[in-house]
Amino acid sequence: MTLVKKKRQIQLDRSNKRSKRGTMKLLWSGLLILSLLVLSACGQNSENTAKIVEGKVNVVTTFYPVYAFTAAIGGEDANVINLLPTGVEPHDWTPKSQDIVNTSKAQLFLYNGAGLEGWVPNFLKSLNSDSKVKAVAVSEGVKLLSAEGDDGHGHGEEHADDHADENGNEEQVADHHIDPHTWVSPKSALIMAKNIKNSLTEVDPAHKAGYEKRYEELRTKLEALDQHFTNELASVPKKEIVVSHQAFGYLARDYGLKQHAIMGLSPDAEPTGQDIVKLAKLVKDEGIKYIFFEELVSDKLAKTLASEAGVETMVLNPVEGLTQEQVNNKDDYFTLMEKNLQNLLIALK
């Protein structure tokens, strides 16, 4: 099958998938009210209700990086509940009714923001009327990147916020096509970790000392990771990377690389045939040896492009979530980012 025919078949498959997903999203908001009524009758019979721990600050996080940083800072003082299941890619995930119940009972709801979780506004409106949960977008303060083209899923269109630039000055960020993948750069992760620490101390000042101590430990690790990326990538002869989806903009910006993505901000944002041909030419012209793909999304286009260009594929992980194998191997944000660095060093020789 030719590259163009392969791409057309993948487009057709995605079109069918997106049509079904769109129908489900239209139904979701209306079903929230019904779900709450049903759950109020079910009471303690739901298996996930036990996740809320009385007597502790309960924190609900949306996906893995926010959860990992929060759990590290919260330690024994916080009960951290992550919404996104293992092995699930976060871009098109939407919460379940039990997630509404748990979040309504929590003290803190931490999400990435920058448009990643487009479901958050409706989700917060659906919480119990007596809920006192504090919602915080932990990417606040990161200098956000705009992305080229529409991703087809409304990422970055959730709101337009003021974000601080590198000099600490406030700047207005456009309300469309914002790259939400802040955590993939350790420099941005440092800002996110501080926001998480501040949020925990605000809702639970009694354990401020513990939060501060564990935050300093996490900050030290993130700063060491940042320095490792800076030192190692400063001397690589090549700077161009081709990735499966546009998740590495902050990493590229902060460490002097240039990202070329097969797909857009979402793994379902479709490239045109012209895009694929252009990328294949770029790979050949620049002497690029590897096309990067991810474990949690389809690698079909990455492998097709690699075959067309006569190069190999390799993993570059956006650390959006863990596979079950990674959980079993006790991988975490730091081990996965170190693996990313080693793969980048191989590809950029």
Side-chain angles (χ1 to χ4, degrees), residues 140-152:
E140 288 294 329
V142 175
K143 186 179 181 183
L144 297 180
L145 291 171
S146 293
E148 296 179 2
D150 186 2
D151 67 4

Side-chain angles (χ1 to χ4, degrees), residues 51-323:
K51 290 184 178 180
I52 292 293
V53 176
E54 297 296 333
K56 274 193 175 184
V57 62
N58 289 277
V59 185
V60 174
T61 61
T62 53
F63 75 127
Y64 176 71
V66 180
Y67 168 79
F69 300 153
T70 304
I73 298 169
E76 63 187 15
D77 297 322
N79 178 47
V80 186
I81 301 168
N82 194 40
L83 295 183
L84 199 72
T86 297
V88 176
E89 207 281 333
H91 287 83
D92 292 316
W93 179 86
T94 53
K96 309 299 184 290
S97 53
Q98 186 60 46
D99 299 326
I100 299 170
V101 173
N102 282 338
T103 305
S104 294
K105 296 178 180 179
Q107 288 73 50
L108 192 58
F109 173 69
L110 300 178
Y111 64 107
N112 186 76
L116 180 71
E117 307 99 330
W119 48 266
V120 163
N122 283 336
F123 180 77
L124 294 177
K125 290 175 185 177
S126 302
L127 300 182
N128 293 347
S129 58
D130 60 349
S131 175
K132 297 180 180 179
V133 66
K134 177 180 175 63
V136 178
V138 301
S139 65
E140 288 294 329
V142 175
K143 186 179 181 183
L144 297 180
L145 291 171
S146 293
E148 296 179 2
D150 186 2
D151 67 4
H153 294 283
H155 293 102
E157 297 181 6
E158 179 182 335
H159 57 271
D161 286 332
D162 289 329
H163 284 72
D165 66 16
E166 56 197 357
N167 298 315
N169 300 315
E170 293 295 320
E171 61 176 7
Q172 183 71 19
V173 178
D175 63 351
H176 62 285
H177 312 322
I178 297 300
D179 184 346
H181 303 87
T182 53
W183 65 92
V184 186
S185 167
K187 291 185 186 298
S188 298
L190 280 161
I191 296 172
M192 296 168 67
K194 186 174 183 180
N195 288 337
I196 292 169
K197 182 263 296 182
N198 290 342
S199 300
L200 284 166
T201 56
E202 183 175 342
V203 300
D204 186 25
H207 296 103
K208 179 178 179 179
Y211 297 140
E212 292 281 0
K213 177 179 181 294
R214 289 184 291 268
Y215 162 71
E216 289 300 327
E217 293 170 354
L218 178 61
R219 182 177 65 83
T220 299
K221 291 177 67 176
L222 286 170
E223 287 178 344
L225 183 66
D226 170 39
Q227 195 61 54
H228 195 196
F229 268 79
T230 299
N231 294 343
E232 294 293 332
L233 292 176
S235 59
V236 293
K238 297 180 180 179
K239 302 294 184 181
E240 312 273 343
I241 59 173
V242 177
V243 298
S244 58
H245 101 272
Q246 199 170 337
F248 302 92
Y250 295 93
L251 185 74
R253 177 189 70 183
D254 292 341
Y255 302 103
L257 306 179
K258 186 171 182 181
Q259 169 188 237
H260 303 277
I262 300 173
M263 293 166 276
L265 293 176
S266 165
D268 282 338
E270 300 169 0
T272 65
Q274 185 178 5
D275 292 335
I276 296 294
V277 171
K278 184 178 179 181
L279 272 175
K281 183 178 186 301
L282 172 76
V283 169
K284 294 176 181 178
D285 291 348
E286 296 294 330
I288 293 171
K289 299 176 182 177
Y290 294 91
I291 307 297
F292 288 112
F293 69 96
E294 307 163 23
E295 293 101 329
L296 292 181
V297 299
S298 172
D299 61 357
K300 288 181 180 179
L301 279 177
K303 288 188 174 180
T304 299
L305 176 59
S307 176
E308 177 72 11
V311 299
E312 298 181 57
T313 58
M314 186 185 296
V315 171
L316 194 63
N317 195 324
V319 202
E320 294 175 337
L322 300 181
T323 65

